[in-house]
PDB file of all heavy atoms in Angstrom:
ATOM      1  N   PRO A 546     -21.301 -17.538  30.220  1.00  0.00           N
ATOM      2  CA  PRO A 546     -21.479 -17.639  31.531  1.00  0.00           C
ATOM      3  C   PRO A 546     -22.802 -17.974  32.102  1.00  0.00           C
ATOM      4  O   PRO A 546     -23.789 -17.536  31.536  1.00  0.00           O
ATOM      5  CB  PRO A 546     -21.107 -16.308  32.144  1.00  0.00           C
ATOM      6  CG  PRO A 546     -20.569 -15.522  30.847  1.00  0.00           C
ATOM      7  CD  PRO A 546     -21.225 -16.209  29.645  1.00  0.00           C
ATOM      8  N   THR A 547     -22.851 -18.695  33.123  1.00  0.00           N
ATOM      9  CA  THR A 547     -24.205 -19.144  33.606  1.00  0.00           C
ATOM     10  C   THR A 547     -24.755 -17.997  34.561  1.00  0.00           C
ATOM     11  O   THR A 547     -23.987 -17.044  34.850  1.00  0.00           O
ATOM     12  CB  THR A 547     -24.210 -20.404  34.531  1.00  0.00           C
ATOM     13  OG1 THR A 547     -25.473 -20.781  34.697  1.00  0.00           O
ATOM     14  CG2 THR A 547     -23.548 -20.150  35.772  1.00  0.00           C
ATOM     15  N   GLY A 548     -25.928 -17.974  34.902  1.00  0.00           N
ATOM     16  CA  GLY A 548     -26.464 -16.911  35.739  1.00  0.00           C
ATOM     17  C   GLY A 548     -27.096 -15.799  34.858  1.00  0.00           C
ATOM     18  O   GLY A 548     -27.568 -14.850  35.295  1.00  0.00           O
ATOM     19  N   LEU A 549     -26.978 -16.042  33.566  1.00  0.00           N
ATOM     20  CA  LEU A 549     -27.507 -15.028  32.645  1.00  0.00           C
ATOM     21  C   LEU A 549     -28.959 -15.304  32.357  1.00  0.00           C
ATOM     22  O   LEU A 549     -29.459 -16.430  32.476  1.00  0.00           O
ATOM     23  CB  LEU A 549     -26.792 -15.065  31.364  1.00  0.00           C
ATOM     24  CG  LEU A 549     -25.273 -14.984  31.298  1.00  0.00           C
ATOM     25  CD1 LEU A 549     -24.814 -15.022  29.881  1.00  0.00           C
ATOM     26  CD2 LEU A 549     -25.006 -13.621  31.911  1.00  0.00           C
ATOM     27  N   SER A 550     -29.725 -14.163  32.168  1.00  0.00           N
ATOM     28  CA  SER A 550     -31.120 -14.414  31.858  1.00  0.00           C
ATOM     29  C   SER A 550     -31.205 -15.008  30.442  1.00  0.00           C
ATOM     30  O   SER A 550     -30.250 -15.008  29.717  1.00  0.00           O
ATOM     31  CB  SER A 550     -31.815 -13.068  31.676  1.00  0.00           C
ATOM     32  OG  SER A 550     -31.335 -12.339  30.632  1.00  0.00           O
ATOM     33  N   HIS A 551     -32.305 -15.686  30.223  1.00  0.00           N
ATOM     34  CA  HIS A 551     -32.619 -16.347  28.931  1.00  0.00           C
ATOM     35  C   HIS A 551     -32.290 -15.416  27.776  1.00  0.00           C
ATOM     36  O   HIS A 551     -31.649 -15.653  26.764  1.00  0.00           O
ATOM     37  CB  HIS A 551     -33.949 -16.886  28.897  1.00  0.00           C
ATOM     38  CG  HIS A 551     -34.404 -17.485  27.653  1.00  0.00           C
ATOM     39  ND1 HIS A 551     -33.769 -18.743  27.276  1.00  0.00           N
ATOM     40  CD2 HIS A 551     -35.323 -17.279  26.706  1.00  0.00           C
ATOM     41  CE1 HIS A 551     -34.365 -19.021  26.173  1.00  0.00           C
ATOM     42  NE2 HIS A 551     -35.214 -18.225  25.711  1.00  0.00           N
ATOM     43  N   HIS A 552     -32.662 -14.169  28.032  1.00  0.00           N
ATOM     44  CA  HIS A 552     -32.511 -13.069  27.027  1.00  0.00           C
ATOM     45  C   HIS A 552     -30.985 -12.850  26.640  1.00  0.00           C
ATOM     46  O   HIS A 552     -30.662 -12.747  25.544  1.00  0.00           O
ATOM     47  CB  HIS A 552     -33.206 -11.820  27.754  1.00  0.00           C
ATOM     48  CG  HIS A 552     -33.040 -10.580  27.116  1.00  0.00           C
ATOM     49  ND1 HIS A 552     -33.526 -10.327  25.911  1.00  0.00           N
ATOM     50  CD2 HIS A 552     -32.333  -9.439  27.392  1.00  0.00           C
ATOM     51  CE1 HIS A 552     -33.260  -8.983  25.510  1.00  0.00           C
ATOM     52  NE2 HIS A 552     -32.593  -8.533  26.471  1.00  0.00           N
ATOM     53  N   VAL A 553     -30.209 -12.716  27.694  1.00  0.00           N
ATOM     54  CA  VAL A 553     -28.744 -12.545  27.407  1.00  0.00           C
ATOM     55  C   VAL A 553     -28.218 -13.686  26.748  1.00  0.00           C
ATOM     56  O   VAL A 553     -27.459 -13.610  25.806  1.00  0.00           O
ATOM     57  CB  VAL A 553     -27.915 -12.200  28.774  1.00  0.00           C
ATOM     58  CG1 VAL A 553     -26.570 -12.041  28.564  1.00  0.00           C
ATOM     59  CG2 VAL A 553     -28.623 -10.914  29.415  1.00  0.00           C
ATOM     60  N   ALA A 554     -28.459 -14.882  27.309  1.00  0.00           N
ATOM     61  CA  ALA A 554     -27.995 -16.129  26.746  1.00  0.00           C
ATOM     62  C   ALA A 554     -28.292 -16.227  25.239  1.00  0.00           C
ATOM     63  O   ALA A 554     -27.428 -16.671  24.439  1.00  0.00           O
ATOM     64  CB  ALA A 554     -28.573 -17.370  27.517  1.00  0.00           C
ATOM     65  N   ASN A 555     -29.535 -15.820  24.945  1.00  0.00           N
ATOM     66  CA  ASN A 555     -29.959 -15.776  23.460  1.00  0.00           C
ATOM     67  C   ASN A 555     -29.031 -14.944  22.670  1.00  0.00           C
ATOM     68  O   ASN A 555     -28.671 -15.346  21.518  1.00  0.00           O
ATOM     69  CB  ASN A 555     -31.269 -15.316  23.387  1.00  0.00           C
ATOM     70  CG  ASN A 555     -32.248 -16.496  23.250  1.00  0.00           C
ATOM     71  OD1 ASN A 555     -31.905 -17.493  22.805  1.00  0.00           O
ATOM     72  ND2 ASN A 555     -33.539 -16.223  23.470  1.00  0.00           N
ATOM     73  N   SER A 556     -28.700 -13.724  23.221  1.00  0.00           N
ATOM     74  CA  SER A 556     -27.914 -12.822  22.464  1.00  0.00           C
ATOM     75  C   SER A 556     -26.497 -13.436  22.202  1.00  0.00           C
ATOM     76  O   SER A 556     -25.869 -13.197  21.092  1.00  0.00           O
ATOM     77  CB  SER A 556     -27.747 -11.526  23.230  1.00  0.00           C
ATOM     78  OG  SER A 556     -28.968 -11.039  23.504  1.00  0.00           O
ATOM     79  N   PHE A 557     -25.995 -14.120  23.163  1.00  0.00           N
ATOM     80  CA  PHE A 557     -24.599 -14.735  22.976  1.00  0.00           C
ATOM     81  C   PHE A 557     -24.798 -15.801  21.901  1.00  0.00           C
ATOM     82  O   PHE A 557     -23.992 -15.937  21.028  1.00  0.00           O
ATOM     83  CB  PHE A 557     -24.216 -15.438  24.267  1.00  0.00           C
ATOM     84  CG  PHE A 557     -23.374 -14.682  25.185  1.00  0.00           C
ATOM     85  CD1 PHE A 557     -24.026 -13.560  25.883  1.00  0.00           C
ATOM     86  CD2 PHE A 557     -22.057 -14.719  25.101  1.00  0.00           C
ATOM     87  CE1 PHE A 557     -23.208 -12.864  26.795  1.00  0.00           C
ATOM     88  CE2 PHE A 557     -21.274 -13.971  25.995  1.00  0.00           C
ATOM     89  CZ  PHE A 557     -21.938 -12.990  26.741  1.00  0.00           C
ATOM     90  N   ASP A 558     -25.897 -16.579  21.916  1.00  0.00           N
ATOM     91  CA  ASP A 558     -25.979 -17.560  20.925  1.00  0.00           C
ATOM     92  C   ASP A 558     -26.170 -17.001  19.475  1.00  0.00           C
ATOM     93  O   ASP A 558     -25.509 -17.545  18.690  1.00  0.00           O
ATOM     94  CB  ASP A 558     -27.327 -18.401  21.119  1.00  0.00           C
ATOM     95  CG  ASP A 558     -27.003 -19.814  21.880  1.00  0.00           C
ATOM     96  OD1 ASP A 558     -25.797 -20.118  21.984  1.00  0.00           O
ATOM     97  OD2 ASP A 558     -27.908 -20.432  22.195  1.00  0.00           O
ATOM     98  N   GLN A 559     -26.857 -15.971  19.468  1.00  0.00           N
ATOM     99  CA  GLN A 559     -27.088 -15.327  18.057  1.00  0.00           C
ATOM    100  C   GLN A 559     -25.722 -14.812  17.550  1.00  0.00           C
ATOM    101  O   GLN A 559     -25.631 -14.842  16.425  1.00  0.00           O
ATOM    102  CB  GLN A 559     -28.103 -14.330  18.109  1.00  0.00           C
ATOM    103  CG  GLN A 559     -29.511 -14.875  18.286  1.00  0.00           C
ATOM    104  CD  GLN A 559     -30.585 -13.899  18.143  1.00  0.00           C
ATOM    105  OE1 GLN A 559     -30.350 -12.774  17.919  1.00  0.00           O
ATOM    106  NE2 GLN A 559     -31.772 -14.363  18.354  1.00  0.00           N
ATOM    107  N   SER A 560     -25.038 -14.171  18.449  1.00  0.00           N
ATOM    108  CA  SER A 560     -23.703 -13.562  17.991  1.00  0.00           C
ATOM    109  C   SER A 560     -22.834 -14.634  17.455  1.00  0.00           C
ATOM    110  O   SER A 560     -21.831 -14.360  16.742  1.00  0.00           O
ATOM    111  CB  SER A 560     -23.128 -12.631  18.938  1.00  0.00           C
ATOM    112  OG  SER A 560     -22.588 -13.480  19.958  1.00  0.00           O
ATOM    113  N   ALA A 561     -22.978 -15.831  18.081  1.00  0.00           N
ATOM    114  CA  ALA A 561     -22.045 -17.008  17.771  1.00  0.00           C
ATOM    115  C   ALA A 561     -22.024 -17.151  16.306  1.00  0.00           C
ATOM    116  O   ALA A 561     -20.936 -17.508  15.683  1.00  0.00           O
ATOM    117  CB  ALA A 561     -22.380 -18.203  18.507  1.00  0.00           C
ATOM    118  N   SER A 562     -23.199 -17.291  15.773  1.00  0.00           N
ATOM    119  CA  SER A 562     -23.240 -17.674  14.288  1.00  0.00           C
ATOM    120  C   SER A 562     -22.546 -16.646  13.441  1.00  0.00           C
ATOM    121  O   SER A 562     -22.156 -16.891  12.338  1.00  0.00           O
ATOM    122  CB  SER A 562     -24.682 -17.779  13.850  1.00  0.00           C
ATOM    123  OG  SER A 562     -25.319 -16.532  14.051  1.00  0.00           O
ATOM    124  N   SER A 563     -22.287 -15.396  13.881  1.00  0.00           N
ATOM    125  CA  SER A 563     -21.540 -14.450  13.113  1.00  0.00           C
ATOM    126  C   SER A 563     -20.267 -13.918  13.713  1.00  0.00           C
ATOM    127  O   SER A 563     -19.847 -12.797  13.369  1.00  0.00           O
ATOM    128  CB  SER A 563     -22.451 -13.292  12.697  1.00  0.00           C
ATOM    129  OG  SER A 563     -22.695 -12.601  13.880  1.00  0.00           O
ATOM    130  N   SER A 564     -19.760 -14.710  14.588  1.00  0.00           N
ATOM    131  CA  SER A 564     -18.682 -14.094  15.462  1.00  0.00           C
ATOM    132  C   SER A 564     -17.345 -14.333  14.657  1.00  0.00           C
ATOM    133  O   SER A 564     -16.319 -13.730  15.090  1.00  0.00           O
ATOM    134  CB  SER A 564     -18.667 -14.703  16.739  1.00  0.00           C
ATOM    135  OG  SER A 564     -18.269 -16.118  16.749  1.00  0.00           O
ATOM    136  N   SER A 565     -17.254 -15.134  13.662  1.00  0.00           N
ATOM    137  CA  SER A 565     -15.952 -15.343  13.008  1.00  0.00           C
ATOM    138  C   SER A 565     -15.556 -14.095  12.226  1.00  0.00           C
ATOM    139  O   SER A 565     -16.432 -13.447  11.557  1.00  0.00           O
ATOM    140  CB  SER A 565     -16.016 -16.436  12.110  1.00  0.00           C
ATOM    141  OG  SER A 565     -14.981 -16.535  11.217  1.00  0.00           O
ATOM    142  N   ASN A 566     -14.304 -13.695  12.305  1.00  0.00           N
ATOM    143  CA  ASN A 566     -13.881 -12.571  11.407  1.00  0.00           C
ATOM    144  C   ASN A 566     -13.271 -13.020  10.098  1.00  0.00           C
ATOM    145  O   ASN A 566     -12.529 -12.390   9.549  1.00  0.00           O
ATOM    146  CB  ASN A 566     -12.925 -11.692  12.263  1.00  0.00           C
ATOM    147  CG  ASN A 566     -11.700 -12.479  12.896  1.00  0.00           C
ATOM    148  OD1 ASN A 566     -11.716 -13.630  12.614  1.00  0.00           O
ATOM    149  ND2 ASN A 566     -11.063 -11.882  13.760  1.00  0.00           N
ATOM    150  N   SER A 567     -13.549 -14.334   9.783  1.00  0.00           N
ATOM    151  CA  SER A 567     -12.901 -14.898   8.653  1.00  0.00           C
ATOM    152  C   SER A 567     -13.357 -14.313   7.302  1.00  0.00           C
ATOM    153  O   SER A 567     -12.763 -14.219   6.377  1.00  0.00           O
ATOM    154  CB  SER A 567     -12.983 -16.361   8.575  1.00  0.00           C
ATOM    155  OG  SER A 567     -14.465 -16.698   8.494  1.00  0.00           O
ATOM    156  N   GLN A 568     -14.632 -13.876   7.400  1.00  0.00           N
ATOM    157  CA  GLN A 568     -15.254 -13.334   6.131  1.00  0.00           C
ATOM    158  C   GLN A 568     -15.061 -11.834   6.136  1.00  0.00           C
ATOM    159  O   GLN A 568     -15.887 -11.089   6.420  1.00  0.00           O
ATOM    160  CB  GLN A 568     -16.696 -13.723   6.133  1.00  0.00           C
ATOM    161  CG  GLN A 568     -17.250 -13.477   4.636  1.00  0.00           C
ATOM    162  CD  GLN A 568     -18.230 -14.614   4.329  1.00  0.00           C
ATOM    163  OE1 GLN A 568     -17.965 -15.603   3.878  1.00  0.00           O
ATOM    164  NE2 GLN A 568     -19.462 -14.353   4.735  1.00  0.00           N
ATOM    165  N   ILE A 569     -13.834 -11.490   5.631  1.00  0.00           N
ATOM    166  CA  ILE A 569     -13.606 -10.086   5.739  1.00  0.00           C
ATOM    167  C   ILE A 569     -14.077  -9.276   4.554  1.00  0.00           C
ATOM    168  O   ILE A 569     -14.202  -9.844   3.461  1.00  0.00           O
ATOM    169  CB  ILE A 569     -12.033  -9.821   5.664  1.00  0.00           C
ATOM    170  CG1 ILE A 569     -11.380 -10.427   7.001  1.00  0.00           C
ATOM    171  CG2 ILE A 569     -11.684  -8.307   5.644  1.00  0.00           C
ATOM    172  CD1 ILE A 569      -9.898 -10.522   7.013  1.00  0.00           C
TER     173      ILE A 569
END
Side-chain angles (χ1 to χ4, degrees):
T547 194
L549 302 179
S550 68
H551 180 62
H552 172 65
V553 177
N555 257 345
S556 304
F557 269 77
D558 257 358
Q559 289 190 359
S560 69
S562 58
S563 65
S564 66
S565 166
N566 49 9
S567 63
Q568 196 144 267
I569 298 174

